Amino acid sequence: MQSRRCPHRGGDLSMGEVRQSSIGCPYHGWEFSSADGSCSRIPSLADQGKIPPRASIATYPAVERFGHVWTVLEDPIRDMYEIDEWQGLDLEWLAAEPIDSSVGVGVTIENFRDVAYFPFVHKMSMGPTPEVVEPLNVNRDGLDVWMDRPLDAGSGDWADGDCMMRYRCSAPGLASITYHYEKLGRRVVAGFPSPIDYEHVKIFWGVANEVGYRGADLEDACASRRWCTSRTSRSSNSSTPRNSLGFRVPGISPYPPTCSPSTTGARSPS
């Protein structure tokens, strides 16, 4: 992951040409190494040994996981997320369209793990559900919080059958529900809110099916959850925002993004 601005004259590298081991600026053709961001070629120089030693662009580590490309712009507060309930599962991911929301990242996470609004917000998607919430057995280990809760599928759009849900929130920016259907297999819905500022967050999210899952396909699952996710996001706008730092999902790609189960586009930090 690299800065998108050329240090020469400010050309937008996202519009440049990707070479085998570098990216070329669309303005003057300066090339920068994909490994460390150093300038590797200036076409207008006859002697490439005269490349200014400080000519470089900022370069950040990147990893592809959970259908997205991740980076970190400073020292992370933790290692990249490792989700216990996904270990050993062969999951196929589909990245959804990110949601722009004018709340803080803390409120976004709290909205995702809230179970008391189901009877009101999810009437169409889940069907009738009890208003009274039973005592919840919540576990915590450092920056990770999780609980198991049974789901009575009801008669809504998500009615793939009764299942057990594993809710998980991992600070600073991962929230997921893993649905374990005894007869169908496992499905995941996960959100990765990325703070833009104190009162503004972009919610990257996606769905995953265990290979061989016998319920709805990923496209249908993504479409049915997109409506509810955007609706609950808008309903949280009056909440007090909070923020946090650490691993974050970058934005939409200036290069042609690929929105497949295994990867989605990402924006170079700028």
Side-chain angles (χ1 to χ4, degrees), residues 63-66 70 78-89 91 93 141 143-146 166-176 178 192 247:
V63 61
E64 182 183 328
R65 196 166 299 178
F66 316 140
W70 300 70
R78 64 176 298 159
D79 293 334
M80 185 58 183
Y81 306 110
E82 296 288 348
I83 309 301
D84 289 345
E85 54 268 27
W86 300 348
Q87 300 304 309
L89 290 182
L91 293 173
W93 284 90
D141 181 11
L143 297 175
D144 299 286
V145 178
W146 69 95
R166 164 65 61 90
Y167 274 82
R168 178 177 292 273
C169 290
S170 297
L174 181 147
S176 66
T178 302
F192 318 114
F247 264 103

Side-chain angles (χ1 to χ4, degrees), residues 138-203:
V138 179
N139 304 279
R140 178 177 178 178
D141 181 11
L143 297 175
D144 299 286
V145 178
W146 69 95
M147 72 172 184
D148 294 323
R149 186 173 191 248
L151 169 66
D152 180 354
S155 58
D157 295 339
W158 298 0
D160 275 347
D162 296 347
C163 70
M164 181 61 71
M165 298 183 294
R166 164 65 61 90
Y167 274 82
R168 178 177 292 273
C169 290
S170 297
L174 181 147
S176 66
I177 304 177
T178 302
Y179 301 84
H180 185 186
Y181 297 93
E182 184 176 348
K183 296 182 179 180
L184 301 178
R186 289 176 174 85
R187 157 167 290 168
V188 174
V189 178
F192 318 114
S194 180
I196 296 173
D197 57 38
Y198 190 74
E199 299 182 2
H200 189 188
V201 67
K202 185 176 286 289
I203 306 170

Side-chain angles (χ1 to χ4, degrees), residues 117-155:
Y117 66 70
F118 291 174
F120 311 100
V121 175
H122 292 323
K123 289 180 180 179
M124 292 180 61
S125 58
M126 297 180 67
T129 55
E131 295 184 5
V132 176
V133 176
E134 76 283 3
L136 303 173
N137 182 21
V138 179
N139 304 279
R140 178 177 178 178
D141 181 11
L143 297 175
D144 299 286
V145 178
W146 69 95
M147 72 172 184
D148 294 323
R149 186 173 191 248
L151 169 66
D152 180 354
S155 58

